[in-house]
Amino acid sequence: MSSIQTPRELTSSYMAWYRFSRNTAAMVGAFIVISVLLIAAFAPWITPFPDHIGSVVDFRNRHAAPDMTHWFGTDKAGRDIFTRTVFGFRVSLMLVVGVLAISVPIGAVLGMAAGYFGGWTERLITGLTNVMLAIPPLVMALAIGNVLEPNLTNAMIAITLLWWTWHARLVYRVTVTIAGEDYIEAVRLAGASHFHIMFREILPNCIAVISVKTTLDAAFVILFGATLSFLGFGVKPPTPDLGSMVADGRQFLPEMWWEVLAPGFAIFYATLGFNLLGDGLRDMFDVEA
């Protein structure tokens, strides 16, 4: 089959990009997200003290105010806050990838199955989804974090156990609408399998809403992971995590304000970028997520 796009497809793609590029907030969000990705990718080469991500102690420089050597100051152990903030982006993005790489496919498949097959399959999946949605995510995450050892893997598990439900509900609503279309019935009468209909006919029509939801979820996962670490149920020290850095620095407020300001602003910067980008994608695809 030819991969050449038709004039209609080219026009649709151009109009989508035009709407996105004319959206100032979306372009700002894209710039922020790209900058966070680049900062995280090149962290070892752009930080002045890459060894400060470990159990390094330099009490002679503890609580040092920002200067030309330590741009964001130092923490209670004398570690460079700029270095740890930059590497904190890595931890946050690893959490985003780990959670969404599992929860999005699971939620999408379950949502499609419920919307396409209906009957007892729909009742079972929607019932399970409603039960899981009734549990406050933070309560579930704290319960799991209290049972398991606080680390990045267990933080991913705690968040993933509930995050798939939002994607299942979203894809379910879209699938119910698409499954009633005439072309789906025509494909079914032509002898197409359920697998073909679900993944070749229905799924491509869900990509837009899934993309928007996933981008917006990235911001929530970063914020949720930081909250767990702030409460002591997330990433285990001395791994540099933005939430735990804020928790460590708050006890020295207001004198050592820089110990909270830098990681706190980093959380705000990353979540703002993903939210603006998600809103831009929603306008570009013209969907509700």
Side-chain angles (χ1 to χ4, degrees), residues 42-288:
F42 294 100
W45 295 277
I46 64 176
T47 52
F49 304 95
D51 58 319
H52 282 200
I53 65 173
S55 302
V56 174
V57 176
D58 183 8
F59 287 122
R60 290 178 300 177
N61 290 315
R62 67 193 304 263
H63 300 307
D67 55 27
M68 295 303 295
T69 302
H70 302 285
W71 299 345
F72 292 173
T74 62
D75 62 11
K76 62 182 180 182
R79 296 170 299 193
D80 183 63
I81 295 179
F82 172 73
T83 298
R84 293 181 62 80
T85 299
V86 169
F87 276 91
F89 277 135
R90 275 193 166 187
V91 175
S92 296
L93 292 177
M94 288 173 61
L95 185 64
V96 169
V97 172
V99 170
L100 297 183
I102 298 173
S103 61
V104 173
I106 291 176
V109 171
L110 291 178
M112 281 195 300
Y116 175 72
F117 290 110
W120 68 267
T121 303
E122 178 183 9
R123 291 192 295 271
L124 177 62
I125 296 176
T126 55
L128 176 61
T129 302
N130 291 334
V131 169
M132 299 299 289
L133 285 172
I135 304 174
L138 184 58
V139 173
M140 171 66 85
L142 291 177
I144 295 174
N146 192 43
V147 174
L148 303 177
E149 180 184 359
N151 55 46
L152 183 61
T153 301
N154 292 335
M156 290 180 185
I157 295 174
I159 300 175
T160 304
L161 283 177
L162 291 176
W163 217 271
W164 63 268
T165 55
W166 304 102
H167 291 269
R169 172 182 281 187
L170 177 64
V171 175
Y172 165 74
R173 293 201 305 262
V174 178
T175 302
V176 168
T177 302
I178 297 174
E181 296 289 337
D182 292 338
Y183 80 92
I184 296 295
E185 184 63 26
V187 173
R188 184 183 294 111
L189 293 175
S193 64
H194 295 313
F195 184 88
H196 175 91
I197 295 174
M198 289 177 61
F199 291 95
R200 296 296 298 273
E201 305 295 338
I202 296 178
L203 182 59
N205 291 284
C206 300
I207 294 298
V209 294
I210 292 175
S211 300
V212 174
K213 179 63 175 172
T214 300
T215 306
L216 293 172
D217 277 355
F220 286 106
V221 171
I222 291 174
L223 190 59
F224 202 80
T227 301
L228 287 180
S229 296
F230 180 84
L231 297 174
F233 295 96
V235 180
K236 188 176 182 180
T239 302
D241 179 83
L242 300 176
S244 59
M245 290 173 65
V246 173
D248 290 340
R250 64 173 176 159
Q251 57 185 311
F252 303 109
L253 287 173
E255 291 81 5
M256 288 73 176
W257 50 266
W258 56 86
E259 297 187 26
V260 171
L261 180 62
F265 179 78
I267 296 172
F268 167 77
Y269 184 75
T271 54
L272 175 66
F274 280 107
N275 274 314
L276 292 178
L277 179 59
D279 288 338
L281 292 176
R282 179 165 53 194
D283 294 338
M284 184 180 75
F285 293 126
D286 192 23
V287 299
E288 292 293 333

Side-chain angles (χ1 to χ4, degrees), residues 16-38:
W17 167 248
Y18 179 80
R19 288 195 299 269
F20 183 84
S21 62
R22 299 292 292 181
N23 187 330
T24 303
M27 295 300 291
V28 171
F31 171 80
I32 292 175
V33 170
I34 292 173
S35 68
V36 170
L37 294 175
L38 291 176

